[in-house]
Amino acid sequence: MAEEVKLFKTLSSPFALRVDWALRLKGIQYESVLEDLSDKSDLLLQNNPVYKKVPVLLHNGQSISESLIILEYIEETWKQDPLLPQDPYARARARFWAKFGDDKVLPSLWTAFISEGKEQEAALAEASENLQKLEGELNGKKFFGGDNIGYLDIALGWLANLITVLEEISSLKLVDGERFPLLLAWMKEFSDVPLIKDCWPPHDKLIPRFIAHRQVYRMKPSST
Amino acid sequence: MAEEVKLFKTLSSPFALRVDWALRLKGIQYESVLEDLSDKSDLLLQNNPVYKKVPVLLHNGQSISESLIILEYIEETWKQDPLLPQDPYARARARFWAKFGDDKVLPSLWTAFISEGKEQEAALAEASENLQKLEGELNGKKFFGGDNIGYLDIALGWLANLITVLEEISSLKLVDGERFPLLLAWMKEFSDVPLIKDCWPPHDKLIPRFIAHRQVYRMKPSST
């Protein structure tokens, strides 16, 4: 009997993209279910009752949420083409930088994107400092995973997808070749991999979505 | 040659306790280095330059930080007495609830502890909702890991350690037997395990520390 592998996602979720990429890198057949977050399906609510958000992976009736945890699940369930390195210390480093991306890099870039004035200046300085650390992690490597795409490339892949969108809307320069030559080269290398590019949401559809996101966040009393 | 296994921690860090417990459960000999966070050692700063905080595990010259990532490292480096279950789905669930503990349960309890009035009421309601989810996860089990202590018990162990401290200082009832009979029973079972109890910081030293923490946070303009 064929396995049931379903991914609940939205068009613009960078976290769901991680799961798309991981499944494709391992050659797993799966079905995508596109969710509209303003009108979530009963199936999504049943399968992620705690957070009620995407991505959710449904595998033979069992649902897993939280994208980095889904990556670990995929790695442990389908062992071909490992995403993580074999050495425990290298694995810990990959996990550390993935978490740093979510906990530090993303919030600082997002705050820079939605804020203005002094708050934006502070967020830009923080984002720059955070990106500098990722730049250091790329030293001497084509991908974060080395010669090939690995777990950390997948975890940070949203950067390659979103930076141009955020830059275009905000007119900010977030990742430039002068400060971040390695990161910029990585963004290009990563985006050019066919399997990655195939999942890319269309740029012209992302732009209006992120303009709308920005509007909503700017109207909130607290900007984070 | 003997292995170098050093744990940088403070007396009151609930995150560092996770590492103590995991190392002891696996029977690993290690040295504890007690840090004073108001005067951090050069060694701590060198070994966790990104966050400059405890816990940090130093193993044969390689440093790992972020307590849940350290637990994965310990699990992969010393394979005896596994902390995580074997089944990928059960592993994903344990990781999901551990992250939920850090992302949701801890902030809601902490906000209830340091806030007042309407903010405190809202935080208490949120904390209660979050704890109810953990209560459900214990259904039919002695420990989160089943008959024995596992990864999720270690990850949530701070609850068993801190609830009584927060309750004593704030006069709030956070975990009571009426709403949370299973959680309360787990807190007692877990605390009574000799290996766990041995690492417990002395209650009379925690009380003044958390009174001081509360004071500091209450003086900040934003309370989270």
Side-chain angles (χ1 to χ4, degrees):
Chain A
M1 202 182 74
E3 281 197 303
E4 177 200 41
V5 186
K6 266 189 194 165
L7 168 60
F8 294 82
K9 64 183 188 179
T10 62
L11 181 84
S12 61
S13 164
F15 303 111
L17 266 182
R18 291 171 170 169
V19 185
D20 271 312
W21 292 330
L23 289 171
R24 285 171 187 235
L25 280 165
K26 286 184 177 271
I28 309 304
Q29 296 292 318
Y30 65 103
E31 183 191 336
S32 286
V33 182
L34 265 188
E35 285 287 331
D36 171 0
L37 292 186
S38 63
D39 182 23
K40 298 173 185 176
S41 74
D42 289 345
L43 214 53
L44 174 65
L45 300 178
Q46 273 166 32
N47 282 300
N48 189 357
V50 175
Y51 293 109
K52 305 176 180 65
K53 61 184 189 182
V54 296
V56 174
L57 183 71
L58 189 64
H59 181 210
N60 295 337
Q62 294 183 313
S63 55
I64 307 108
S65 47
E66 297 286 306
S67 62
L68 294 180
I69 293 173
I70 299 175
L71 292 190
E72 301 271 356
Y73 177 82
I74 290 173
E75 181 79 337
E76 292 170 352
T77 302
W78 296 285
K79 297 192 192 300
Q80 67 272 30
D81 303 307
L83 306 172
L84 279 159
Q86 290 308 299
D87 169 58
Y89 180 66
R91 293 164 76 88
R93 277 189 81 89
R95 289 178 178 128
F96 175 85
W97 290 113
K99 187 171 189 302
F100 178 76
D102 284 4
D103 292 353
K104 297 287 172 187
V105 183
L106 183 57
S108 59
L109 284 172
W110 189 253
T111 304
F113 176 63
I114 59 170
S115 62
E116 292 171 296
K118 280 205 183 317
E119 195 190 353
Q120 188 175 60
E121 271 174 45
L124 281 172
E126 201 195 318
S128 174
E129 207 179 299
N130 291 334
L131 291 169
Q132 211 64 60
K133 295 193 169 88
L134 297 185
E135 178 83 5
E137 196 54 23
L138 270 172
N139 204 1
K141 291 185 293 188
K142 182 174 167 189
F143 294 113
F144 286 101
D147 291 335
N148 297 301
I149 290 176
Y151 167 92
L152 185 52
D153 296 278
I154 292 175
L156 295 175
W158 59 267
L159 269 174
N161 184 34
L162 281 191
I163 286 292
T164 52
V165 173
L166 304 186
E167 286 184 339
E168 187 174 323
I169 297 171
S170 66
S171 306
L172 295 167
K173 198 68 208 161
L174 301 167
V175 177
D176 54 74
E178 201 170 313
R179 291 177 300 163
F180 309 109
L182 302 178
L183 211 46
L184 205 64
W186 168 80
M187 280 168 61
K188 188 161 168 16
E189 288 282 3
F190 184 75
S191 320
D192 280 351
V193 173
L195 181 146
I196 298 296
K197 207 193 304 195
D198 286 352
C199 304
W200 235 235
H203 188 78
D204 62 335
K205 288 206 177 172
L206 286 182
I207 293 288
R209 286 199 181 215
F210 278 86
I211 288 177
H213 288 330
R214 194 189 197 204
Q215 203 79 13
V216 170
Y217 279 91
R218 282 194 158 180
M219 281 159 55
K220 287 189 181 171
S222 164
S223 63
T224 51
Chain B
M1 202 181 75
E3 283 197 303
E4 177 199 40
V5 186
K6 265 187 194 165
L7 169 61
F8 294 83
K9 63 182 189 181
T10 61
L11 181 84
S12 60
S13 164
F15 303 111
L17 266 181
R18 292 171 171 169
V19 185
D20 272 311
W21 292 330
L23 290 169
R24 285 172 188 234
L25 280 166
K26 285 183 178 272
I28 309 304
Q29 297 291 318
Y30 67 103
E31 182 192 335
S32 286
V33 183
L34 263 188
E35 285 286 332
D36 171 0
L37 292 187
S38 63
D39 181 23
K40 298 172 186 178
S41 74
D42 289 345
L43 214 52
L44 175 64
L45 299 178
Q46 273 165 34
N47 282 301
N48 189 359
V50 175
Y51 293 109
K52 304 176 179 65
K53 60 184 191 183
V54 297
V56 174
L57 183 71
L58 190 63
H59 181 211
N60 295 336
Q62 296 184 312
S63 55
I64 306 108
S65 48
E66 297 284 307
S67 61
L68 293 181
I69 294 173
I70 299 175
L71 292 191
E72 301 270 356
Y73 177 82
I74 290 173
E75 181 79 337
E76 291 171 353
T77 301
W78 297 284
K79 298 193 191 299
Q80 66 272 31
D81 303 307
L83 305 173
L84 279 160
Q86 289 310 296
D87 170 60
Y89 180 66
R91 294 163 77 89
R93 278 189 79 90
R95 290 178 177 128
F96 175 86
W97 290 114
K99 187 170 189 299
F100 178 77
D102 284 3
D103 292 353
K104 297 289 172 184
V105 183
L106 183 56
S108 58
L109 283 171
W110 188 253
T111 304
F113 175 64
I114 59 171
S115 62
E116 291 171 297
K118 279 205 183 315
E119 196 189 352
Q120 187 175 61
E121 270 174 46
L124 280 172
E126 201 194 318
S128 173
E129 207 179 301
N130 291 334
L131 291 168
Q132 211 63 61
K133 294 192 171 86
L134 297 185
E135 177 84 4
E137 197 53 23
L138 270 173
N139 204 1
K141 293 186 291 190
K142 182 174 168 188
F143 295 112
F144 286 101
D147 291 335
N148 297 301
I149 289 176
Y151 167 92
L152 184 52
D153 297 278
I154 292 175
L156 295 175
W158 58 268
L159 268 174
N161 184 34
L162 280 191
I163 286 291
T164 54
V165 173
L166 304 187
E167 286 184 339
E168 186 173 324
I169 297 171
S170 67
S171 306
L172 294 168
K173 198 67 207 163
L174 300 168
V175 177
D176 53 74
E178 201 171 314
R179 289 177 301 164
F180 308 110
L182 303 178
L183 212 45
L184 205 66
W186 168 79
M187 281 168 61
K188 187 161 168 18
E189 288 283 3
F190 184 74
S191 320
D192 281 350
V193 174
L195 181 147
I196 298 297
K197 207 192 303 195
D198 286 353
C199 302
W200 235 234
H203 188 80
D204 62 333
K205 289 205 174 170
L206 286 183
I207 293 288
R209 286 200 180 214
F210 277 86
I211 288 176
H213 287 329
R214 194 188 197 207
Q215 204 80 13
V216 170
Y217 278 91
R218 283 195 157 181
M219 281 160 56
K220 287 190 181 173
S222 164
S223 62
T224 51

